């Protein structure tokens, strides 16, 4: 069963009819809500423990409505070394790409605000 994003707007995402107002990680089969990062607007390896355990083909990072959340070069390099394709976009576009990639081992890490 592939989880689908119904809609995204600033501070809110609707997934399979359920509304979330805190950052989420969306797996093909489940949603981890209240995803909190070690340093709020920057992604680090420690934020991706569950993601790495899943061994996805693709990790999509929704960097917020305005794309404020940073994905540092060392994190990009680390993911590449793990064989994980990384896509970083503003959150609305990230949701669309996630839905289009159904059927693959794809995970979406979604920052809901800025």
């Amino acid at each position: 069963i592939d989880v689908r994003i119904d809609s995204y707007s600033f501070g809110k995402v609707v997934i399979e009819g359920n509304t979330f107002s805190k950052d989420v990680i969306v797996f093909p089969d489940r949603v981890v809500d209240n995803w909190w990062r070690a340093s709020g607007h920057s992604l680090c390896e420690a934020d991706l423990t569950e993601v790495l355990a899943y061994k996805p083909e693709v990790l999509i990072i929704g960097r917020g409505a305005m794309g404020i959340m940073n994905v540092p070069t060392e994190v990009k390099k680390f993911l590449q070394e793990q064989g994980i394709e990384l896509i970083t976009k503003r959150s609305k576009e990230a949701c669309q790409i996630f839905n289009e990639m159904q059927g693959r081992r794809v995970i979406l890490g979604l920052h809901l605000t800025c």
Side-chain angles (χ1 to χ4, degrees):
I1 298 169
D2 282 345
V3 171
R4 289 192 63 80
I5 311 295
D6 299 327
S7 67
Y8 165 80
S9 57
F10 186 92
K12 182 175 90 172
V13 63
V14 181
I15 303 167
E16 298 286 327
N18 298 303
T19 302
F20 299 89
S21 56
K22 301 237 192 292
D23 294 0
V24 295
I25 302 177
V26 186
F27 291 82
D29 59 348
R30 69 187 187 282
V31 177
V32 175
D33 61 351
N34 204 10
W35 177 41
W36 193 246
R37 289 163 309 287
S39 82
H41 285 111
S42 188
L43 190 66
C44 71
E45 285 177 36
D47 302 328
L48 300 173
T49 307
E50 268 190 275
V51 169
L52 295 171
Y54 187 81
K55 300 188 181 344
E57 293 173 48
V58 183
L59 172 61
I60 304 167
I61 297 293
R63 297 177 27 237
M66 278 87 71
I68 301 289
M69 192 176 108
N70 180 38
V71 180
T73 303
E74 61 268 19
V75 174
K76 292 177 183 175
K77 188 175 177 201
F78 171 75
L79 289 166
Q80 186 177 27
E81 289 166 357
Q82 305 300 311
I84 299 169
E85 179 187 344
L86 175 67
I87 299 171
T88 65
K89 299 286 183 185
R90 290 182 179 193
S91 290
K92 187 172 186 71
E93 193 177 350
C95 289
Q96 292 166 343
I97 293 168
F98 178 80
N99 282 343
E100 289 165 7
M101 294 185 105
Q102 296 294 312
R104 293 182 65 189
R105 287 182 69 83
V106 59
I107 294 176
L108 171 65
L110 196 60
H111 180 54
L112 297 185
T113 56
C114 47

